[in-house]
């Protein structure tokens, strides 16, 4: 007869946790790639179960798209406005960048949620690399931004008759640049989230980042039509380069050289944001 010992440690494998993936995925010191894959899948499943996350994120770019095109399309164009370009064609690339900035802010808000709901605390008890959760969050947000961009473009084409001169190939390149900006700017907001760790300051930061940066740029009117002081701000605004590049690609007009400047600036933001995010993430909860 065998006697069961009281207090004997349970050696059975842990039960899979629906919030972090199966136990087998983490067992035996999983690779960083596996960790990122599992955590990205976790975040993407949240989009499937709550599609309202994508829909609410579409409100501002869609509202701006329809209001601006309907209000300003019938107004006279300034001497600095590109010849032969409709206002819809002019403003549509800015809408893509606006969606990119908004999506980037959601990366930071998602990290705050993970810090508050105990997800990070659980992961710190497991052999998980600190940056895996941050990278997974940025990739999941990139997928969400891609879905939103597709929806915005479909609405613009089917409802407003958007047909850029650059054709489908250049439009795809323009959307790709917007997605790259989404991913790189996301690291700035992820870094802010690891240091602020509260939703309210992150939401305030999002408002401060979106409104001034978008309106003090070449998004809605040519820079030369802005007041002198605001024109100087717009010329120093990194988003101006991104908007000019996406616009030049979509319309197949001169100015694609701004794409290199936009990529370099965005890359620097991603590197600095990534370093600050890892340092902030390692701080005690």
């Amino acid at each position: 007869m065998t006697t069961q010992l009281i207090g004997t440690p349970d050696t059975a494998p842990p039960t899979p946790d629906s919030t972090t993936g199966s136990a087998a995925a983490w067992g035996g010191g999983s690779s960083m790639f596996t960790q990122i894959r599992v955590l990205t899948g976790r975040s993407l499943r949240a989009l499937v179960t709550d599609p309202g996350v994508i829909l609410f994120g579409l409100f501002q770019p869609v509202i701006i798209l329809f209001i601006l095109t309907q209000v300003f399309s019938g107004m006279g164009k300034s001497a600095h406005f590109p010849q032969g370009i409709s206002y819809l064609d002019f403003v549509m690339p800015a809408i893509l960048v606006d969606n990119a900035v908004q999506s980037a802010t959601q990366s930071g808000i998602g990290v705050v949620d993970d810090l508050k709901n105990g997800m990070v605390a659980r992961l710190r008890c497991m052999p998980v690399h600190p940056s895996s959760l941050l990278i997974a969050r940025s990739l999941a947000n990139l997928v969400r931004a891609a879905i939103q961009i597709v929806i915005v473009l479909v609405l613009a084409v089917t409802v407003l008759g958007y047909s850029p001169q650059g054709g489908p190939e250049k439009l795809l390149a323009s959307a790709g640049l917007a997605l790259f900006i989404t991913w790189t700017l996301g690291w700035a907001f992820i870094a802010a989230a690891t240091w602020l760790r509260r939703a309210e300051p992150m939401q305030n930061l999002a408002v401060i980042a979106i409104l001034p940066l978008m309106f003090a740029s070449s998004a809605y009117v040519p820079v030369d039509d802005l007041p002198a002081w605001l024109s100087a701000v717009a010329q120093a605004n990194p988003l101006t380069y991104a908007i000019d590049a996406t616009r030049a690609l979509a319309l197949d007009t001169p100015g694609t050289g701004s794409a290199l400047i936009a990529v370099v600036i965005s890359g620097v933001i991603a590197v600095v944001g990534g370093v600050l995010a890892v340092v902030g993430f390692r701080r005690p909860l």
Side-chain angles (χ1 to χ4, degrees), residues 241-267:
Y241 297 99
I243 294 167
D244 289 346
T246 55
R247 182 174 291 140
L249 287 170
L251 301 180
D252 196 19
T253 57
T256 54
S258 299
L260 178 60
I261 300 176
V263 168
V264 171
I265 293 175
S266 298

Side-chain angles (χ1 to χ4, degrees), residues 39-69:
L39 292 172
T40 302
R42 165 188 171 269
S43 298
L44 291 178
R45 283 192 294 272
L47 297 181
V48 177
T49 58
D50 188 10
V53 173
I54 293 178
L55 295 179
F56 281 116
L58 284 169
F59 280 172
Q60 180 168 318
V62 169
I63 289 173
I64 290 178
L65 172 63
F66 281 90
I67 289 180
L68 286 180
T69 54

Side-chain angles (χ1 to χ4, degrees), residues 97 101 181 185 209 213-214 217-218 237-244:
V97 175
V101 177
I181 294 169
L185 285 181
L213 286 176
M214 288 301 300
S217 69
S218 61
N237 185 349
L239 288 186
T240 295
Y241 297 99
I243 294 167
D244 289 346

Side-chain angles (χ1 to χ4, degrees), residues 36 55 57 82 115 130 140 142 155 195 208 221 283:
I36 294 173
L55 295 179
L115 288 166
L142 185 64
L155 289 175
W195 289 91
I208 294 173
V221 295
R283 295 187 305 144

Side-chain angles (χ1 to χ4, degrees), residues 97-120:
V97 175
D98 178 65
N99 182 81
V101 177
Q102 286 197 76
S103 299
T105 64
Q106 294 303 315
S107 295
I109 294 175
V111 172
V112 171
D113 290 340
D114 288 336
L115 288 166
K116 292 299 183 182
N117 62 21
M119 176 68 182
V120 174

